[in-house]
């Protein structure tokens, strides 16, 4: 009899009976009772009242019974934490059972019981299991560490489990290695800044050795981990590629895609003239083709990934066009995806084949597919110039079929072909005009109207054709109305005598009778243009249009790079970065492809170094301000800068820089312009008091190199945090901004790296800050003196003042920034280290220090621990002194050095501290006292950053 009998009972007094059976002396009866309990639990009945009785059944040698009890325990431990503690002893005992299956079962269940009270009891058994002689137990324990870390991260770190996990990467058993990698990756993902998976050539070698003997899921974990490694040079990446290539022939498609991801990433580092590079390209095609013989759902996932690969490296599959031809029984989602890839692979060599295939598709029965096929013919014409003529004749053949939706799609597509190849195929216009009456879709009607307006001089009855559309003007969609307005104005400019009435009619319909603001505005603009300056109107309306290109549907290059790093995951199916659909802390790490070592890019630059690391942690997620007052501050872009009493920066760069917002240099020198008070920290605003040292050219020349400009006696080696990406290119239409803050010669500098990853030139840069906790504001304009060309990177140093408007932020050191260029305005937020605000005259007199320390109430004192710092007290004092944290006095008590220090912030707040340093102990204790205790946390973070850097 099967186990289904356990689900059929509906007795009333069931719980009482089960209680009796669970306490029975007979083993069989006990087992039956536990099965009934699990069955009730599975169908949603509450059997938590039986908790003590079920837990008593744990004391058994029967593996099946033990599994059932553990299952019950996992389910109810959370609702009965006090009872669950009863089971702890059994866990501890089971972890020492001679049977490895029972040891592993115990450790697996321990990881699933998410109860805080119990976790600390489980540390000892887990520690033993991590060092167990049986690999099955070790691999189970490795996963348990990740589960425990999710419940209580601090406990796992304190118990040293993370170090044990790292040691397991060198384990002799490949499955243990795979699980250790999986656990560490999981933990690292939830803590993006922790450097847990510290990969080096030795550990990579161990992973590659384990790769050959793992189960398929183990191989995926290891391959995903390898993908995050940054090889030192092209030789190392070649050797990794050689050892990963055999995975391409694996039966599991997930393993194949993970291997493709690793190879696509490391290929970036191989010089293109290398023989191996060509071999690798050839090896990548067959496995991708094989994926297309799987079931439709898998095919779809494979096609979405291939779509990305083809955009990055079309040469991989250029000879494999035939596998993307559509089969009659493919589901529609597979058909549409194949069609997309066919167009991406279309070239002069295969265009005849592709067009014959597409013409066939256009006679199918599936309307969506037919439409897409007709569009595809047009895209081929735009992509492969030599095929344009053949494409146009194919489209004309389709129009002759008189199938309504085919005709409409064909007209939309021909409009694009006219825009790509002007004055070439206009002979077909007559055929198009014959089908005017059958057009009922807005896009097709708009396309036809555009064609009539654009080529009005070649169409004898153009005015009649447009007039026929005008009759039902108010019933048309906005798209058609706008197109009709423009077309009639074009017609009037080409044939003014015959169409005067027509143009007046359409202008009055658009301006007086329409309630659509877009239409009204366009109507008024044309009306004024025509009435004031017909010559100018002709230049504007009949201007030569830029040619369109096929690139419009390609994924933006930065996003494509990131998606290539996520091949084989959901991101590659959605074609969106993980941060777009994963909530919470995970998924915010932006991955990049490594820089090619053979190219002219410098591998020394910090940006490339960070990118090669596989991910650039963002300082803070970009924030678009929501409160009204923030928008008032940040969007006030058109105002001239407010008057300033301070002298303008005298460096020659400011001349060109000031015109960014049309304010002009004279407005800066010419006194009162009456800028908005809300715009305190305005774009390019000179602050009320300019830092004295600003008259020296900033961040330039040999003077800075040898620190000759530091007139305030600034010690060498002040802490400057490494640059991080503040604004990723995908969020700013191709502009990437990374930066940091530095304090030099008493002036705070915002050091920015601007990279243009878009296709167009960027100019007219300006910057503005929102109100912030310490009144930070630009002390001058953002000086980007030359246009920023595509793929160009420039470094800019922006001096800051601390006299801007103040508003308390959360966190305290948060800074919201708006950057404007000729494309748009972009917002991001970053966090500045508070040490930038530590001023040079922050050394207190001893007596004043003593009196102030006593005067500040004890509840304003905060204590912190600085861990893993191996400096003696003199080195600590020198290092902190370089960042304006001044040592007032030092005394030694019981072998412990006590350093008393003072800091003064730019807004006049004093922070006093006592730092205890004991020889041989890497953990320091620091006490901070301040009248504004909310700054203590930020000040402690600065101490930690300065000392550990």
């Amino acid at each position: 009899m099967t186990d289904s009998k356990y689900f059929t009972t509906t007795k009333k007094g069931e719980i009482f009976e089960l209680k009796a059976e669970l306490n029975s002396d007979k083993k069989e009866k006990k087992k039956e009772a536990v099965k009934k309990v699990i069955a009730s639990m599975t169908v949603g009945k509450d059997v938590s009242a039986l908790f003590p009785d079920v837990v008593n059944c744990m004391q058994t040698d029967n593996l099946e019974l033990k599994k059932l009890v553990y299952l019950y325990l996992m389910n109810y431990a959370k609702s009965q934490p006090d009872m669950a503690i009863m089971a702890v002893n059994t866990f501890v005992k089971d972890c020492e059972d001679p049977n490895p299956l029972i040891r592993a079962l115990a450790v697996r269940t321990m990881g699933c019981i998410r109860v805080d009270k119990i976790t600390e009891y489980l540390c000892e058994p887990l520690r033993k299991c991590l060092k167990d002689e049986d690999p099955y137990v070790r691999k189970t324990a490795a996963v348990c560490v990740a589960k425990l870390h999710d419940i209580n991260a601090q406990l796992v770190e304190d118990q040293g489990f993370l170090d044990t996990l790292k040691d397991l990467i060198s384990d002799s058993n490949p499955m243990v290695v795979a699980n250790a990698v999986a656990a560490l990756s999981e933990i690292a993902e939830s803590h993006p800044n922790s450097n847990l998976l510290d990969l080096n050539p030795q550990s990579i070698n161990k992973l590659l050795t384990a790769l050959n003997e793992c189960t398929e899921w183990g191989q995926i974990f290891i391959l995903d981990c390898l993908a995050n490694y940054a090889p030192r040079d092209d030789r190392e990446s070649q050797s990794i590629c050689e050892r990963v290539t055999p995975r391409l022939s694996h039966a599991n498609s997930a393993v194949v895609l993970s291997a493709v991801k690793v190879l696509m990433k490391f290929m970036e580092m191989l010089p293109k003239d290398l023989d191996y590079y060509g071999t690798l390209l050839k090896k990548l095609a067959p496995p991708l083709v094989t994926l297309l013989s799987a079931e439709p759902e898998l095919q779809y996932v494979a096609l979405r990934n291939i779509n990305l690969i083809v955009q990055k490296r079309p040469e991989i599959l250029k000879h494999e066009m035939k596998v993307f031809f559509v089969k009659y029984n493919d589901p529609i989602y597979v058909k549409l995806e194949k069609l997309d890839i066919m167009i991406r692979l279309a070239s002069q060599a295969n265009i005849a084949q592709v067009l014959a295939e597409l013409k066939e598709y256009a006679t199918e029965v599936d309307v969506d597919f037919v439409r897409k096929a007709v569009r595809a013919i047009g895209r081929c014409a735009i992509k492969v110039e030599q095929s344009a003529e053949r494409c146009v004749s194919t489209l004309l053949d389709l129009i002759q079929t008189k199938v309504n939706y085919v005709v409409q799609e064909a007209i939309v597509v021909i409009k694009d072909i006219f825009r790509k190849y002007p004055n070439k195929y206009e002979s077909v216009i007559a055929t198009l005009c014959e089908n005017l009456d059958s057009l009922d879709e807005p896009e097709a009607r708009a396309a036809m109207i555009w064609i009539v307006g654009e080529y009005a001089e070649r169409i004898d009855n153009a005015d009649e054709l447009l007039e026929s559309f005008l009759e039902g003007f108010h019933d048309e969609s906005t798209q058609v109305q706008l197109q009709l307005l423009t077309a009639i104005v074009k017609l009037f400019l080409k044939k003014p005598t015959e169409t005067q009435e027509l143009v007046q009619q359409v202008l009055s319909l658009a301006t007086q009778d329409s309630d659509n603001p877009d239409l009204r505005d366009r109507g008024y603009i044309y009306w004024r243009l025509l009435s004031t300056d017909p010559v100018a109107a002709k230049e504007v309306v009949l201007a030569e249009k830029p040619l369109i290109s096929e690139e419009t549907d390609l994924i933006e290059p930065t996003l494509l790079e990131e998606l290539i790093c996520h091949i084989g995951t959901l991101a590659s199916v959605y074609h969106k970065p993980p941060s777009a659909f994963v909530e919470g802390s995970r998924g915010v790490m932006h991955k990049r492809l490594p820089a090619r070592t053979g190219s002219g890019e410098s591998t020394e630059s910090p940006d490339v170094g960070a990118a090669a690391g596989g991910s650039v942690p963002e300082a803070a997620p970009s924030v678009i301000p929501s409160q009204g007052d923030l928008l008032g501050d940040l969007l006030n872009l058109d105002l001239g800068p407010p008057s300033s009493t301070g002298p303008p920066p005298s460096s020659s760069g400011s001349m060109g820089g000031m015109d960014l917002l049309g304010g002009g240099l004279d407005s800066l020198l010419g006194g009162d312009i009456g800028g908005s008070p809300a715009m305190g920290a305005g774009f390019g605003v000179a602050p009320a008091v300019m830092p004295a040292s600003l008259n020296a050219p900033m961040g330039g020349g040999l003077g800075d190199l040898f620190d000759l400009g530091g007139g305030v006696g600034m010690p060498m080696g002040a802490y400057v945090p490494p640059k991080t990406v503040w604004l990723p290119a995908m969020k700013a239409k191709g502009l990437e901004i990374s930066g940091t803050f530095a304090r030099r010669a008493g002036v705070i500098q915002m050091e920015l790296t601007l990279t243009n990853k878009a296709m167009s030139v960027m100019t007219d840069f300006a910057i503005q800050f929102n109100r912030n906790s310490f009144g930070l504001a630009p002390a001058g304009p953002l000086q980007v003196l030359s246009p920023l060309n595509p793929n160009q990177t420039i470094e800019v140093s922006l001096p800051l003042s601390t006299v801007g408007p103040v508003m308390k932020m959360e966190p305290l050191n948060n800074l919201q920034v708006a950057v404007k260029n000729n494309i748009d305005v972009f917002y991001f937020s970053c966090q500045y280290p508070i040490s930038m605000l530590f001023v040079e005259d922050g050394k207190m007199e001893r007596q004043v220090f003593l009196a102030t320390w006593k005067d500040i109430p004890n509840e304003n004192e905060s204590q912190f621990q600085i861990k893993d710092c191996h400096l003696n007290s003199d080195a600590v004092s020198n290092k902190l002194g370089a960042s304006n944290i001044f040592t007032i006095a030092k005394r030694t008590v019981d072998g412990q050095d006590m350093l008393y220090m003072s800091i003064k912030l730019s807004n006049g707040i004093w922070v006093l501290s006592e730092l205890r340093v004991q020889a041989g102990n890497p953990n320091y204790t620091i006490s901070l006292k301040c009248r504004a205790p909310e700054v203590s946390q930020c000040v402690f973070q600065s101490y930690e950053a300065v000392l550990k850097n």
Side-chain angles (χ1 to χ4, degrees):
M1 189 172 171
T2 64
D3 284 349
S4 59
K5 63 179 179 184
Y6 300 112
F7 292 89
T8 54
T9 168
T10 51
K11 284 186 213 157
K12 287 279 185 230
E14 201 175 8
I15 297 283
F16 185 72
E17 285 180 18
L18 285 171
K19 201 179 183 78
E21 286 179 24
L22 286 168
N23 293 316
S24 159
D25 298 335
K26 293 179 182 166
K27 279 188 180 176
E28 273 312 305
K29 211 164 189 184
K30 246 187 194 179
K31 194 155 90 178
E32 292 290 301
V34 173
K35 281 187 178 179
K36 286 179 191 169
V37 171
I38 299 289
S40 301
M41 181 179 90
T42 309
V43 295
K45 288 183 189 167
D46 181 16
V47 281
S48 54
L50 297 167
F51 199 93
D53 307 284
V54 177
V55 170
N56 283 339
C57 298
M58 279 172 83
Q59 317 290 343
T60 173
D61 300 331
N62 184 318
L63 191 59
E64 189 186 0
L65 183 54
K66 211 176 247 311
K67 274 185 182 174
L68 291 169
V69 174
Y70 277 171
L71 201 61
Y72 177 89
L73 204 60
M74 281 187 241
N75 199 38
Y76 283 116
K78 203 157 193 178
S79 59
Q80 308 250 4
D82 299 332
M83 302 288 273
I85 290 182
M86 293 165 38
V88 167
N89 287 335
T90 315
F91 279 133
V92 177
K93 218 167 95 188
D94 280 357
C95 284
E96 293 178 2
D97 194 278
N99 182 346
L101 288 176
I102 288 183
R103 296 204 295 275
L105 182 64
V107 83
R108 177 180 292 131
T109 312
M110 276 160 38
C112 295
I113 294 182
R114 304 178 61 81
V115 177
D116 273 341
K117 284 184 180 177
I118 297 184
T119 41
E120 49 206 71
Y121 294 110
L122 307 181
C123 292
E124 250 349 279
L126 181 57
R127 185 175 284 110
K128 283 180 187 162
C129 289
L130 280 166
K131 297 203 162 76
D132 198 282
E133 66 212 25
D134 192 286
Y136 182 74
V137 180
R138 291 200 300 276
K139 89 177 178 74
T140 312
V143 177
C144 187
V145 173
K147 289 178 178 173
L148 195 59
H149 189 274
D150 197 37
I151 303 166
N152 188 340
Q154 197 54 50
L155 180 73
V156 170
E157 284 160 33
D158 296 346
Q159 294 281 343
F161 287 149
L162 294 181
D163 297 326
T164 317
L165 261 190
K166 287 180 191 171
D167 295 342
L168 286 183
I169 290 184
S170 314
D171 198 277
S172 55
N173 185 290
M175 267 323 294
V176 178
V177 175
N179 277 20
V181 166
L184 283 169
S185 305
E186 180 79 14
I187 294 168
E189 219 171 85
S190 55
H191 291 66
N193 299 331
S194 62
N195 194 14
L196 283 179
L197 273 164
D198 189 14
L199 298 172
N200 52 39
Q202 290 72 34
S203 56
I204 287 293
N205 195 26
K206 286 170 187 160
L207 292 183
L208 287 165
T209 310
L211 187 60
N212 299 325
E213 299 159 38
C214 278
T215 64
E216 47 201 25
W217 295 110
Q219 291 181 26
I220 293 166
F221 291 135
I222 291 177
L223 288 167
D224 288 349
C225 176
L226 285 173
N228 292 329
Y229 175 61
R232 291 163 307 175
D233 51 28
D234 49 357
R235 281 182 58 190
E236 190 183 359
S237 40
Q238 180 175 338
S239 88
I240 293 174
C241 287
E242 282 168 352
R243 294 178 69 178
V244 168
T245 314
R247 300 295 111 220
L248 292 173
S249 53
H250 200 284
N252 184 326
S253 48
V255 176
V256 175
L257 283 176
S258 292
V260 169
K261 170 167 63 185
V262 175
L263 297 173
M264 285 291 289
K265 200 165 174 185
F266 289 176
M267 273 169 86
E268 284 294 307
M269 295 189 69
L270 300 177
K272 287 195 171 178
D273 49 6
L274 197 70
D275 290 344
Y276 180 69
Y277 182 82
T279 318
L280 196 52
L281 283 180
K282 286 192 189 113
K283 283 185 178 168
L284 275 169
L288 292 172
V289 171
T290 310
L291 291 177
L292 298 182
S293 53
E295 51 268 36
E297 293 79 7
L298 281 180
Q299 272 189 58
Y300 179 72
V301 172
L303 287 164
R304 292 293 281 174
N305 281 282
I306 288 170
N307 200 327
L308 296 173
I309 292 164
V310 163
Q311 286 182 57
K312 183 74 185 161
R313 301 201 182 285
E315 62 271 30
I316 293 177
L317 289 161
K318 64 180 177 188
H319 300 305
E320 303 292 344
M321 177 64 88
K322 278 195 171 153
V323 296
F324 299 107
F325 286 176
V326 170
K327 298 191 182 84
Y328 75 95
N329 57 351
D330 280 339
I332 182 70
Y333 55 88
V334 170
K335 283 181 175 174
L336 296 178
E337 206 55 43
K338 280 185 173 178
L339 209 49
D340 207 30
I341 294 169
M342 276 168 69
I343 299 156
R344 296 203 195 287
L345 289 175
S347 64
Q348 208 179 329
N350 57 23
I351 195 75
Q353 219 180 358
V354 173
L355 275 180
E357 195 71 16
L358 291 176
K359 192 173 178 183
E360 198 67 38
Y361 300 162
T363 59
E364 285 261 356
V365 286
D366 191 315
V367 178
D368 283 340
F369 181 52
V370 171
R371 285 176 182 278
K372 187 102 181 210
V374 176
R375 292 256 165 143
I377 296 172
R379 277 173 64 189
C380 288
I382 290 166
K383 185 175 181 190
V384 186
E385 191 170 344
Q386 294 78 0
S387 74
E389 191 134 355
R390 194 184 276 150
C391 290
V392 172
S393 67
T394 306
L395 289 168
L396 288 175
D397 291 348
L398 292 173
I399 288 175
Q400 298 308 335
T401 63
K402 302 288 183 199
V403 177
N404 188 298
Y405 54 86
V406 175
V407 173
Q408 309 212 50
E409 284 296 331
I411 287 175
V412 173
V413 158
I414 287 174
K415 179 203 73 173
D416 287 343
I417 294 175
F418 284 168
R419 285 201 56 193
K420 174 74 174 172
Y421 309 110
N423 306 322
K424 217 167 175 184
Y425 301 109
E426 281 74 14
S427 55
V428 307
I429 292 176
T431 318
L432 302 183
C433 292
E434 289 167 17
N435 293 283
L436 248 175
D437 301 334
S438 64
L439 306 180
D440 54 14
E441 289 170 16
E443 201 178 358
R445 289 172 78 81
M448 192 66 227
I449 292 167
W450 181 87
I451 291 169
V452 174
E454 189 67 14
Y455 300 104
E457 69 279 12
R458 304 182 188 206
I459 304 170
D460 299 334
N461 61 339
D463 48 346
E464 289 171 27
L465 295 176
L466 291 176
E467 204 168 353
S468 68
F469 283 106
L470 206 55
E471 287 158 12
F473 186 77
H474 288 303
D475 302 328
E476 300 284 4
S477 70
T478 308
Q479 183 184 9
V480 177
Q481 289 176 334
L482 288 166
Q483 205 56 267
L484 192 53
L485 174 61
T486 305
I488 291 177
V489 171
K490 282 181 188 171
L491 175 66
F492 172 70
L493 290 169
K494 289 174 181 177
K495 301 179 180 178
T497 47
E498 304 146 44
T499 53
Q500 201 157 355
E501 274 182 38
L502 188 63
V503 81
Q504 282 174 335
Q505 193 185 346
V506 78
L507 286 173
S508 107
L509 281 171
T511 52
Q512 290 159 19
D513 305 346
S514 168
D515 54 3
N516 182 324
D518 290 343
L519 188 61
R520 269 208 315 268
D521 288 355
R522 193 183 287 192
Y524 281 127
I525 287 170
Y526 284 151
W527 202 317
R528 283 173 192 154
L529 262 176
L530 293 170
S531 57
T532 53
D533 191 350
V535 180
K538 210 162 190 169
E539 282 174 14
V540 171
V541 181
L542 302 178
E544 203 167 305
K545 288 158 201 62
L547 302 183
I548 61 171
S549 74
E550 193 266 336
E551 307 305 319
T552 46
D553 64 328
L554 293 181
I555 291 175
E556 199 259 326
T558 1
L559 175 57
L560 181 61
E561 282 196 5
E562 187 172 351
L563 293 177
I564 291 285
C565 298
H566 289 294
I567 282 178
T569 66
L570 259 185
S572 67
V573 179
Y574 287 155
H575 288 188
K576 287 178 182 174
S579 51
F581 59 88
V582 178
E583 288 184 2
S585 62
R586 296 173 182 221
V588 287
M589 293 184 66
H590 290 287
K591 300 189 177 186
R592 297 280 160 79
L593 292 176
R596 185 177 297 285
T597 47
S599 70
E601 295 167 87
S602 153
T603 44
E604 304 302 315
S605 86
D607 289 27
V608 176
S615 57
V616 181
E618 283 183 87
S622 58
V623 173
I624 294 181
S626 53
Q627 302 104 307
D629 61 322
L630 304 197
L631 283 175
D633 280 5
L634 284 175
L635 289 176
N636 221 338
L637 306 185
D638 294 331
L639 298 167
S643 60
S644 63
T645 51
S650 67
S651 66
S652 59
S654 65
M655 301 292 179
M658 212 41 232
D659 252 280
L660 285 176
L661 290 163
L665 191 68
D666 36 0
S667 71
L668 193 74
L669 301 172
D672 200 295
I673 311 285
S676 143
M679 204 189 134
F683 276 116
V685 178
V689 182
M690 208 68 157
S693 57
L694 252 184
N695 291 330
M698 277 301 148
L702 288 171
D704 261 44
L705 209 67
F706 296 108
D707 206 37
L708 304 177
V712 199
M714 170 153 160
M716 293 293 285
Y719 169 63
V720 179
K723 280 191 177 174
T724 49
V725 176
W726 287 339
L727 183 65
M730 40 188 266
K731 291 188 180 169
K733 301 184 181 172
L735 172 65
E736 180 176 281
I737 300 180
S738 44
T740 184
F741 295 85
R743 189 178 179 94
R744 297 209 170 86
V747 178
I748 304 167
Q749 301 277 1
M750 186 183 203
E751 305 202 326
L752 300 166
T753 301
L754 308 179
T755 306
N756 181 354
K757 297 196 171 183
M759 307 284 188
S760 50
V761 177
M762 294 180 180
T763 55
D764 304 339
F765 283 90
I767 192 165
Q768 179 176 338
F769 294 174
N770 194 14
R771 304 171 187 193
N772 52 76
S773 309
F774 294 94
L776 283 180
L782 181 63
Q783 298 186 0
V784 181
L785 300 181
S786 54
L788 187 58
N789 294 314
N791 293 323
Q792 187 188 353
T793 297
I794 54 163
E795 310 276 341
V796 186
S797 201
L798 176 71
L800 306 182
S801 73
T802 52
V803 292
V806 174
M807 179 172 87
K808 189 176 175 188
M809 300 297 284
E810 192 55 55
L812 210 58
N813 57 341
N814 198 25
L815 181 64
Q816 294 179 329
V817 183
V819 170
K820 167 184 178 275
N821 63 13
N822 59 325
I823 295 168
D824 207 343
V825 181
F826 307 107
Y827 302 99
F828 63 87
S829 71
C830 53
Q831 291 179 10
Y832 48 90
I834 210 165
S835 55
M836 297 305 128
L837 306 171
F838 298 171
V839 295
E840 283 65 25
D841 60 346
K843 189 161 186 174
M844 250 186 194
E845 293 296 319
R846 285 187 178 205
Q847 265 60 42
V848 179
F849 182 93
L850 208 63
T852 313
W853 184 275
K854 287 177 182 167
D855 193 35
I856 295 174
N858 285 340
E859 56 266 26
N860 283 20
E861 184 173 346
S862 313
Q863 268 209 348
F864 302 96
Q865 282 264 315
I866 300 175
K867 296 184 175 179
D868 296 332
C869 202
H870 302 275
L871 299 170
N872 62 25
S873 55
D874 293 338
V876 166
S877 186
N878 290 337
K879 205 162 194 182
L880 293 172
S883 292
N884 295 342
I885 301 173
F886 300 101
T887 306
I888 312 297
K890 171 184 167 183
R891 63 193 181 108
T892 307
V893 181
D894 302 335
Q896 196 176 42
D897 290 339
M898 320 272 263
L899 299 174
Y900 295 94
M901 301 178 155
S902 70
I903 298 166
K904 184 182 175 187
L905 296 177
S906 56
N907 60 356
I909 292 177
W910 286 89
V911 183
L912 313 186
S913 64
E914 174 193 73
L915 183 65
R916 301 177 187 196
V917 180
Q918 187 147 21
N921 182 358
N923 299 342
Y924 306 162
T925 305
I926 180 168
S927 303
L928 297 173
K929 259 193 168 185
C930 175
R931 295 194 195 279
E934 54 266 36
V935 303
S936 297
Q937 180 66 34
C938 290
V939 171
F940 158 66
Q941 286 165 355
S942 287
Y943 264 94
E944 204 169 32
V946 171
L947 289 175
K948 288 189 173 183
N949 176 48

